């Protein structure tokens, strides 16, 4: 459908969208696309974003109610969807109209502080995704208002779409794992009904291609530009879409242990894993093992993801009364957290000391756990001083 409000063209790419029965547990989520085009062959259109003048605005208005002409019912509060802007624009969420309580509106304005130009014969595209309406089948109206756009008179147009019941369904769409590090492989799984076409975004992956051959999953690489994936399916008369969000995680060191002079480790959610038995680190696999020589006194494992770094240090006990000494440093973009755990038995004395802003005693209990946050620029050192019941004294720098 094309609407020409005097100097600018508005076009909805779809003429109909799917609606659901209110009793359904698995809601079909419809997706609509619309474009705003400058039809002039030589003149640009300017969307202003000045603080001194009214801001250029595109507003969408929709109706809520039980009647056939409404786009949503009062129970569809989580199904209004979101408008995604492709270009230098931003959209608000849906808000209740101050004067008309049965209306919702959304504002689309230039992003940032600079004006946006729509060049001659150029178009900007918007995606309205996540629409889950339980309104009854029939026609509904969307009112679109253009205001304060340089070169375009203020204008309001009425767009009509058809709401249609459909058997098209996305029964399942999920990511495994849902939490990962950038660069890690994620598997997307889906189960669909009555679809003849389907694509995964980003990537424009055709789930009905010859190479896919009826499979219901696809491996993708999680990168910083792909925090969400969309499955868009369609039939001859309708389309629907569903989104799955991925979450970036801190690395997880699930195991670092030493037994019979052999170190073993297992790490998750990290794109880089490094192991050390001295002053330098070497890159290793997320799951591995290494035989330790008799002269090694401590081991370190460092795991890095986009969200931060975790380094775990294990100091091999010099006397049998010391069972374990573990130091873990979690480094974020703004600070780091240091945790020290120690377990001893039958020692005459144990003292944990710190050098940061000064030299002081942290603890003198036989076993314990201590944690402190520090600025990234602060140099910190720690040591455990001990004495056995036979009078043997020693210290371990950790």
């Amino acid at each position: 459908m094309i609407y020409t409000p005097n100097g600018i063209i508005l076009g909805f790419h779809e003429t109909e969208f799917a609606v659901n029965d209110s009793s359904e547990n698995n809601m079909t989520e419809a997706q609509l696309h619309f474009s705003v085009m400058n039809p002039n062959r030589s003149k640009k259109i300017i969307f202003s974003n000045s603080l001194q003048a009214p801001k250029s605005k595109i507003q969408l208005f929709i109706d809520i109610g039980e009647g056939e002409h409404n786009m949503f019912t009062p129970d569809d509060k989580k199904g209004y969807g979101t408008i995604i802007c492709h270009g230098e624009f931003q959209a608000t969420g849906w808000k209740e109209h101050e004067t008309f309580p049965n209306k919702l509106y959304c504002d689309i304005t230039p992003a940032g502080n600079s004006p946006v130009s729509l060049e001659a014969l150029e178009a900007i595209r918007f995606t309205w995704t996540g629409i889950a309406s339980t309104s009854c089948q029939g026609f509904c109206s969307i009112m679109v208002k253009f205001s304060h756009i340089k070169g375009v008179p203020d204008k309001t147009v009425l767009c009509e779409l058809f709401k249609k019941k459909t058997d098209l369904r996305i029964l399942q769409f999920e990511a495994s794992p849902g939490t990962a590090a950038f660069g890690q492989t994620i598997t997307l799984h889906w189960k669909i009904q009555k679809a003849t076409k389907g694509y995964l975004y980003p990537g424009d992956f055709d789930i009905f291609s010859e190479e896919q051959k009826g499979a219901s999953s696809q491996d993708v690489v999680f990168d910083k530009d792909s925090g969400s994936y969309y499955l868009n399916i369609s039939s001859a008369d309708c389309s629907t879409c569903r989104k799955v969000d991925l979450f970036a995680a801190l690395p997880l060191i699930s195991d670092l242990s030493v037994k019979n002079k052999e170190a073993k480790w297992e790490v998750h959610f990290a794109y880089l894993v490094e192991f050390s038995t001295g002053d330098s680190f070497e890159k290793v696999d997320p799951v591995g093992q290494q035989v330790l020589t008799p002269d090694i006194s401590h081991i370190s494992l460092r795991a890095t993801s986009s969200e931060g770094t975790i380094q775990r240090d294990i100091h091999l006990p010099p006397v049998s009364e010391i069972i374990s000494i573990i130091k873990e440093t979690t480094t974020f973009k703004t600070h780091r957290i240091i945790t020290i755990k120690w377990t001893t038995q039958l020692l005459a004395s144990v003292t944990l000391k710190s050098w940061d802003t000064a030299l002081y005693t942290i603890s003198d209990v036989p076993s314990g756990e201590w944690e402190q946050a520090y600025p990234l620029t602060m140099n910190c050192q720690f040591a455990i001083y001990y004495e056995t019941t036979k009078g043997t004294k020693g210290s371990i720098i950790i």
Side-chain angles (χ1 to χ4, degrees), residues 115-128:
V116 178
S117 298
L118 190 57
E119 301 294 333
L121 302 179
E122 187 178 71
I124 49 176
R125 187 184 181 197
F126 304 94
T127 300
W128 186 356

Side-chain angles (χ1 to χ4, degrees), residues 52 167 260 334:
Q52 288 75 35
D167 292 329
N260 298 326
T334 57

